[in-house]
Amino acid sequence: MAGTPVRVALLGCGTVGTEVVRLLTGQAADLAARVGAPVELVGVAVRRADRHRDVPAGLLTTDALGLVSRDDVDVVVEVVGGIEPTRQWLLAALRAGKSVVTANKALLAEAQGELFAAADASGADLYFEAAVAGAIPLLRPLRESLAGDRITRVMGIVNGTTNFILSAMEETGAGYQEALSEAARLGYAEADPTADVDGYDAAAKAAILASLAFHTRVTMGDVHREGISAVTPADVLAARALDRTIKLLAICERVVGEDGTESVSARVHPAMIPRSHPLAGVGGAFNAVFVEAEAAGQLMFYGQGAGGAPTASAVLGDLVAVARNRVAGGRGPRESAYADLAARPIAQASTRYHISLDVADRAGVLAAVAAVFAQHDVSIAAVRQEGRTQDASLVVVTHRAPDAALRSTVDKIAGLPFVNAVVSVMRVEGEDQ
Amino acid sequence: MAGTPVRVALLGCGTVGTEVVRLLTGQAADLAARVGAPVELVGVAVRRADRHRDVPAGLLTTDALGLVSRDDVDVVVEVVGGIEPTRQWLLAALRAGKSVVTANKALLAEAQGELFAAADASGADLYFEAAVAGAIPLLRPLRESLAGDRITRVMGIVNGTTNFILSAMEETGAGYQEALSEAARLGYAEADPTADVDGYDAAAKAAILASLAFHTRVTMGDVHREGISAVTPADVLAARALDRTIKLLAICERVVGEDGTESVSARVHPAMIPRSHPLAGVGGAFNAVFVEAEAAGQLMFYGQGAGGAPTASAVLGDLVAVARNRVAGGRGPRESAYADLAARPIAQASTRYHISLDVADRAGVLAAVAAVFAQHDVSIAAVRQEGRTQDASLVVVTHRAPDAALRSTVDKIAGLPFVNAVVSVMRVEGEDQ
């Protein structure tokens, strides 16, 4: 294959990195034909050089910064993760005009502006398909295929660990801690599961998705985040009674205010969705993302959201793209943040609540509860009351209302004398009302 | 917005073209920000200039060849369809170095090599996301996101008209002609429905998908094509009895022969798929495509496959891409046909059959039928026999076998003396056996 080789430095050689090396070498002839030039691995930065027998020893180094600064490196592929020192390595690479392919969602959700500015200054490419939803081609469609459309909403299941835990709670009736232990035992949850179960991972992905969808820089701090640790078996039962299921959702919405001003609502929280919703059937390690755009309508993307090989597939796709750009002398899309929309606080987000109460079974209870909703200007979509000897179960599902109003309503109701307990409070998504 | 304008000529102003004009003008500021330069519509070629009141009269022309040859045109967007004279217009544009965005599946399935060669010679871009599955970003993922992976299979519902008819037959028990009339009445079928119901439309899309997935030039002539006009209510009932449903599928497979030689099987035919398969739930005008790749695993893309606005969304996405390439001085991916795999004839394709027979209910019938399968080396996966007074219903589902062997088996069985009728013969897909 003619053409000057495109020389690649790999940072990190864990599960994903090992798979990247395997694909790069195993498919060398195909990659060269697709790029128009050979793609050569010239160095691999690792923490401990004696632990990587699959990689030729001559390629290994523990000096990542030294590697990205070498003159014989054209493209840097980063699968280390974390914010520091990775940020410094990628900035050094981009400043030196080397294109970067990264799977690092946490870093992008924090420092995308800085990284894109460095890429822009030197004319380098910055690609990161693997950072969200693993192998699913999702960022390229948002950045490119839908670049002539107006995206209104992105909603998806983007974290496999929490999806596994919620599915287990639903299938076995287990509590959160029990389901988490089972997930850890099966390798679906890390020893420290905080990033997954508290929604940090999903929030970083929501920031990246919102940035691309709405041409606005959205960072972690702009994303409202609730994890799944507060989800109870009572919530699961309450959902089931209404033919719904609970999923941890990343939701990014374009909100048009009454004065026409647009803003972006980005949030991660558990929510009930109808069992008939396509996202309801997404189980285990799979991810799926719904996108709604004005001209395109509803789109769904589905596939494996994690794992060495799927993530490596996304990395290699980006690597082929930046290598092609090098060969053709062009560039991929830059950061598109011109719209510069404000982030809408969760209090102003328009959501729906499902509220399950344990109340005394006597006259006037429903009237009193309904009055609290009315006082807060929250419209009720459905009510279900079931008597049980002395007490009763009262379930209320609201229409869309500002989140702050819903919270205040619930607080007030919790304090009513005849309300024994607020059994479950959960947002409802996937139904337009 | 700084930057020399990117000047666009539009060929065709029907349903899709009108929507393209609307989005181009209505979103002008957004498009300029995303491209980095204004995108200007400088001419619209139509058949009759007096029928397009929505378009400024000064832009209209009936001379398409003249329009694409103008010096002040940078990009040509084609939504006319058909092979001639469209082919000449696009070749003229590409030869003159103008990038082309087209939704023309028939032309691409016939003349992709010629068009890409012209694009390559002048360094122009050729994009065609709208040619397959309307608004669903599918070709860009195949061409770019999965460029570092090895795709093994693409299987999808890519024609809304036939999907509507098959759904109606299933829901109402109607025959094919009745369901077709209903589809025509509701605007889901053309006055001449041949292209849809005989599978030509789906076959063109299969050729395009197979070309991109397998880096091989696949044309219409390489695609085995069967339409839905032979599907009977008996087939629908037979499918239902086994908890399956009938869909018109476009299937593109990479086949590795016993000697390691690879080839491509591309085919369009109705098939039974299990009701639990994600494609089974895809109804009406929606399209969905499954992609399987070695590293990425299973992916699914779902969305609206036709209609003015969804198709225009895909066209605009491509337009932004080629305009960005103009501004950045680069190029999009070229034709990738280096693998140059042979097309595998349908006779050698490995498929499964569902065969429903009406037989005399007497001893030895099953043994005789089973013997015919064994003679043709076709392995039986499941058998179900149900007696009815004198006759019996016998259903056989096979494992995968060469299509030619399956056909011969059915021919032979049809001639057996105790076989009253072959009630239904249908391929089975979506189950790995």
Side-chain angles (χ1 to χ4, degrees):
Chain A
M1 171 59 54
T4 316
V6 177
R7 296 158 303 179
V8 178
L10 175 66
L11 309 184
C13 200
T15 316
V16 177
T18 304
E19 203 58 33
V20 168
V21 172
R22 198 182 65 78
L23 292 172
L24 258 181
T25 47
Q27 303 189 134
D30 277 317
L31 294 174
R34 294 173 194 178
V35 167
V39 180
E40 273 178 21
L41 185 64
V42 298
V44 181
V46 294
R47 196 177 295 223
R48 290 198 40 183
D50 55 347
R51 292 196 181 167
H52 299 273
R53 305 229 169 130
D54 301 347
V55 180
L59 295 183
L60 291 169
T61 172
T62 53
D63 177 13
L65 193 58
L67 177 60
V68 304
S69 310
R70 271 166 49 179
D71 286 342
D72 66 341
V73 167
D74 302 309
V75 178
V76 172
V77 172
E78 185 262 314
V79 290
V80 174
I83 293 182
E84 297 293 354
T86 322
R87 184 173 139 273
Q88 295 307 329
W89 301 338
L90 299 193
L91 284 172
L94 291 167
R95 285 179 187 140
K98 299 166 203 303
S99 294
V100 165
V101 173
T102 172
N104 194 329
K105 55 201 160 266
L107 178 58
L108 280 159
E110 187 76 36
Q112 56 188 291
E114 196 180 7
L115 293 169
F116 269 116
D120 244 28
S122 71
D125 273 337
L126 175 60
Y127 277 65
F128 45 96
E129 182 68 66
V132 182
I136 310 174
L138 179 61
L139 305 192
R140 185 170 276 106
L142 290 179
R143 261 176 127 179
E144 305 182 40
S145 308
L146 291 163
D149 205 335
R150 202 176 126 87
I151 297 172
T152 50
R153 196 155 197 261
V154 178
M155 175 166 99
I157 296 169
V158 296
N159 181 275
T161 304
T162 48
N163 204 44
F164 179 92
I165 293 171
L166 291 172
S167 302
M169 287 177 70
E170 180 159 329
E171 281 160 25
T172 66
Y176 166 71
Q177 279 300 341
E178 194 184 336
L180 171 58
S181 302
E182 178 70 2
R185 197 179 66 76
L186 296 172
Y188 287 106
E190 310 265 347
D192 175 0
T194 312
D196 292 316
V197 299
D198 287 349
Y200 290 97
D201 174 83
K205 291 164 177 170
I208 295 170
L209 291 172
S211 299
L212 298 180
F214 305 125
H215 301 272
T216 287
R217 199 176 292 160
V218 178
T219 61
M220 273 293 268
D222 300 321
V223 183
H224 173 75
R225 180 186 51 74
E226 295 171 37
I228 63 162
S229 58
V231 176
T232 64
D235 293 329
V236 174
L237 288 175
R240 187 179 298 165
L242 288 169
D243 213 25
R244 295 191 172 100
T245 183
I246 298 174
K247 295 288 184 189
L248 182 72
L249 298 179
I251 301 173
C252 312
E253 289 175 320
R254 181 194 293 272
V255 182
V256 183
E258 285 177 13
D259 63 349
T261 313
E262 296 193 351
S263 58
V264 172
S265 170
R267 56 190 200 265
V268 167
H269 56 66
M272 290 184 186
I273 57 172
R275 266 182 202 289
S276 58
H277 195 284
L279 290 178
V282 176
F286 277 83
N287 282 193
V289 177
F290 249 78
V291 177
E292 291 178 31
E294 287 187 356
Q298 286 195 328
L299 303 169
M300 191 174 86
F301 303 81
Y302 170 92
Q304 292 188 60
T311 308
S313 171
V315 167
L316 266 282
D318 279 354
L319 178 55
V320 168
V322 303
R324 275 178 181 162
N325 289 345
R326 295 244 145 202
V327 171
R331 277 187 71 189
R334 308 177 185 199
E335 181 182 30
S336 177
Y338 71 92
D340 199 20
L341 306 180
R344 198 172 181 85
I346 184 69
Q348 293 169 27
S350 173
T351 66
R352 301 177 66 202
Y353 272 26
H354 167 284
I355 302 151
S356 175
L357 305 170
D358 183 353
V359 298
D361 193 3
R362 62 176 205 226
V365 170
L366 182 57
V369 168
V372 177
F373 280 93
Q375 282 157 22
H376 291 85
D377 211 14
V378 173
S379 172
I380 293 175
V383 173
R384 205 176 62 169
Q385 182 165 358
E386 268 176 35
R388 295 183 305 239
T389 50
Q390 294 206 309
D391 299 329
S393 154
L394 178 61
V395 172
V396 179
V397 180
T398 74
H399 283 296
R400 277 177 172 264
D403 199 78
L406 289 161
R407 297 230 156 214
S408 307
T409 305
V410 173
D411 287 349
K412 188 75 176 287
I413 286 171
L416 292 176
F418 46 79
V419 170
N420 303 328
V422 176
V423 178
S424 162
V425 177
M426 181 79 60
R427 292 195 183 82
V428 177
E429 297 285 347
E431 298 164 80
D432 281 332
Q433 280 183 66
Chain B
M1 171 58 55
T4 316
V6 176
R7 298 158 301 180
V8 178
L10 175 66
L11 309 185
C13 201
T15 316
V16 176
T18 305
E19 203 59 33
V20 168
V21 172
R22 199 182 65 79
L23 292 172
L24 258 181
T25 47
Q27 304 189 132
D30 277 317
L31 294 175
R34 294 173 194 179
V35 166
V39 180
E40 272 177 21
L41 185 64
V42 298
V44 181
V46 293
R47 195 177 296 221
R48 290 199 40 184
D50 56 345
R51 291 197 180 166
H52 300 273
R53 305 227 170 131
D54 302 346
V55 180
L59 296 182
L60 291 168
T61 171
T62 54
D63 178 12
L65 193 58
L67 176 60
V68 305
S69 311
R70 271 165 50 179
D71 286 341
D72 67 341
V73 168
D74 303 307
V75 179
V76 172
V77 172
E78 183 261 316
V79 290
V80 174
I83 293 183
E84 297 293 355
T86 322
R87 185 172 139 273
Q88 295 306 330
W89 301 337
L90 299 193
L91 285 173
L94 291 167
R95 285 178 187 140
K98 299 168 203 303
S99 294
V100 165
V101 173
T102 171
N104 193 329
K105 55 201 161 267
L107 178 56
L108 280 159
E110 187 75 35
Q112 55 188 293
E114 195 179 10
L115 293 169
F116 269 116
D120 244 27
S122 71
D125 272 336
L126 175 60
Y127 278 64
F128 45 94
E129 182 67 67
V132 181
I136 309 174
L138 179 61
L139 305 193
R140 185 170 275 105
L142 290 178
R143 263 177 124 178
E144 304 182 41
S145 308
L146 290 164
D149 205 333
R150 203 176 126 88
I151 297 173
T152 51
R153 197 154 196 262
V154 179
M155 175 165 99
I157 296 169
V158 295
N159 181 275
T161 303
T162 48
N163 204 43
F164 178 92
I165 293 170
L166 291 173
S167 302
M169 287 177 70
E170 181 159 330
E171 279 159 28
T172 65
Y176 165 72
Q177 279 300 342
E178 195 184 333
L180 171 60
S181 303
E182 178 69 1
R185 199 180 62 78
L186 296 171
Y188 288 106
E190 310 266 347
D192 176 0
T194 312
D196 291 316
V197 300
D198 287 348
Y200 291 97
D201 174 82
K205 292 165 177 170
I208 295 170
L209 291 173
S211 298
L212 298 179
F214 305 125
H215 301 272
T216 289
R217 198 175 293 160
V218 178
T219 61
M220 273 293 267
D222 301 319
V223 182
H224 173 76
R225 180 186 49 75
E226 295 171 36
I228 62 163
S229 58
V231 176
T232 65
D235 293 328
V236 173
L237 288 175
R240 186 179 298 166
L242 289 170
D243 212 25
R244 295 190 172 99
T245 182
I246 298 174
K247 296 289 184 188
L248 183 71
L249 299 178
I251 300 173
C252 312
E253 289 175 319
R254 180 195 293 273
V255 182
V256 183
E258 285 176 13
D259 62 349
T261 314
E262 295 194 348
S263 59
V264 171
S265 170
R267 55 190 201 264
V268 168
H269 55 66
M272 291 185 186
I273 57 173
R275 265 181 203 289
S276 58
H277 194 284
L279 290 178
V282 176
F286 277 83
N287 282 193
V289 177
F290 250 79
V291 177
E292 291 178 31
E294 287 188 355
Q298 285 196 329
L299 303 169
M300 191 173 85
F301 303 82
Y302 170 91
Q304 293 189 59
T311 308
S313 170
V315 167
L316 266 281
D318 279 355
L319 178 55
V320 168
V322 303
R324 275 178 181 162
N325 289 344
R326 295 243 145 205
V327 171
R331 278 187 71 188
R334 307 177 185 198
E335 180 182 31
S336 177
Y338 71 91
D340 198 20
L341 307 180
R344 197 172 183 85
I346 184 69
Q348 292 168 26
S350 173
T351 66
R352 300 178 66 203
Y353 271 28
H354 166 284
I355 303 149
S356 176
L357 305 171
D358 185 353
V359 298
D361 193 3
R362 62 173 203 226
V365 170
L366 181 57
V369 168
V372 177
F373 280 93
Q375 282 158 23
H376 292 84
D377 210 14
V378 173
S379 172
I380 293 175
V383 174
R384 204 175 66 167
Q385 182 164 359
E386 268 176 34
R388 296 183 305 240
T389 50
Q390 294 206 307
D391 299 329
S393 154
L394 178 62
V395 172
V396 179
V397 181
T398 74
H399 284 296
R400 277 177 172 264
D403 201 78
L406 289 160
R407 297 230 155 214
S408 306
T409 305
V410 173
D411 287 349
K412 187 76 175 286
I413 287 170
L416 292 176
F418 47 79
V419 171
N420 303 328
V422 176
V423 178
S424 163
V425 177
M426 180 80 57
R427 291 197 184 81
V428 177
E429 296 285 346
E431 297 163 81
D432 280 332
Q433 283 184 65

